[in-house]
Amino acid sequence: MLKGIIPYTHHLLKTSIQEGDIVIDATCGNGNDTLLLASIVGETGHVYAFDIQEQAITTTKALLAEHNYKHVTYIQDSHANLNTYVPIEQKGKIGGVVFNLGYLPRSDKQIITTSESTIPAIKIALDYVEKGHLVILVIYYGHEGGTAEKDAVLSFTKNLDQKQYNVLQYQFINQKNHPPFIIAIEKR
Ligand SMILES: C[S@@+](CC[C@H](N)C(=O)[O-])C[C@H]1O[C@@H](n2cnc3c(N)ncnc32)[C@H](O)[C@@H]1O
């Protein structure tokens, strides 16, 4: 009955985002979320897909090409530079943003997201997202360096002003071995 972390993330994305929206995948990795976003927004919408690794951008491009989706901009750079690529006119109009924190599955475990860029990127994402829409963080933290990022992200999000944001934590608290969890931030 309870949705797992990925199905619940996708449920939240479908709740936040509509056809025609402009949206952001802040960590495209193997492209699974980018694919979902592209299918929800359709050709009248647009997806910005960020990742620092060439391999992630190549894999995501190939996956989206398989589905013949062309309404995606691929950016091999840090999500902390999001405002360099997403036009300023989109500030306050983005339908939803998703971050998957951690390392690229089946790849170099040393290349991880870190709070030094994740926190500034979340702040920019919160500026860009439309009121009533979501910035979703899926937090994997079982790897080396993961706990420091998790703690920084929790501390930052717990202290967001409740008059401006609703912040939800979704987690299976009886699972062993660092189960991933979701922080969903709704801009009010
Ligand atoms: C957990 S994986 C993403 C999984 C992806 N959503 C999927 O469906 O496969 C995290 C990704 O974040 C990327 N990354 C690390 N630091 C980054 C940064 N500063 N900006 C953008 N991407 C970053 C990594 O290269 C990695 O591909």
Side-chain angles (χ1 to χ4, degrees):
M1 274 173 58
L2 294 174
K3 285 189 197 326
I5 294 301
I6 293 175
Y8 194 62
T9 303
H10 288 182
H11 164 75
L12 289 172
L13 287 171
K14 286 176 194 156
T15 308
S16 183
I17 295 165
Q18 293 177 1
E19 192 173 348
D21 279 355
I22 297 174
V23 297
I24 299 169
D25 186 346
T27 53
C28 67
N30 289 320
N32 301 308
D33 290 344
T34 317
L35 182 62
L36 177 76
L37 294 175
S39 76
I40 302 172
V41 301
E43 286 182 7
T44 55
H46 199 82
V47 185
Y48 289 91
F50 288 84
D51 205 291
I52 49 168
Q53 291 193 67
E54 186 179 358
Q55 183 193 334
I57 297 292
T58 306
T59 309
T60 301
K61 268 187 190 167
L63 181 64
L64 277 277
E66 262 175 46
H67 291 78
N68 213 17
Y69 286 143
K70 299 189 180 74
H71 51 292
V72 182
T73 302
Y74 303 92
I75 301 145
Q76 190 188 341
D77 195 358
S78 173
H79 39 224
N81 300 325
L82 198 151
N83 50 352
T84 311
Y85 301 94
V86 182
I88 191 105
E89 298 77 48
Q90 293 306 324
K91 237 184 195 181
K93 296 187 186 161
I94 295 292
V97 185
V98 62
F99 289 75
N100 274 261
L101 306 180
Y103 62 88
L104 181 61
R106 302 183 297 280
S107 181
D108 186 350
K109 287 191 186 174
Q110 306 298 318
I111 305 175
I112 57 172
T113 52
T114 61
S115 61
E116 287 72 24
S117 48
T118 302
I119 304 287
I122 296 170
K123 288 182 186 167
I124 299 168
L126 289 173
D127 259 359
Y128 269 78
V129 79
E130 192 176 348
K131 283 188 179 166
H133 291 251
L134 299 175
V135 173
I136 300 170
L137 318 171
V138 186
I139 303 174
Y140 297 86
Y141 62 98
H143 55 282
E144 205 181 323
T147 300
E149 181 183 39
K150 171 194 68 115
D151 291 345
V153 170
L154 276 176
S155 156
F156 172 72
T157 52
K158 273 183 185 170
N159 286 302
L160 285 169
D161 181 356
Q162 66 175 34
K163 293 200 187 93
Q164 293 184 60
Y165 303 101
N166 291 319
V167 183
L168 169 84
Q169 181 167 356
Y170 185 84
Q171 181 172 29
F172 293 95
I173 60 173
N174 65 333
Q175 285 182 1
K176 300 207 186 327
N177 301 328
H178 312 287
F181 64 94
I182 301 169
I183 296 288
I185 310 168
E186 178 187 13
K187 190 167 175 179
R188 303 179 65 184

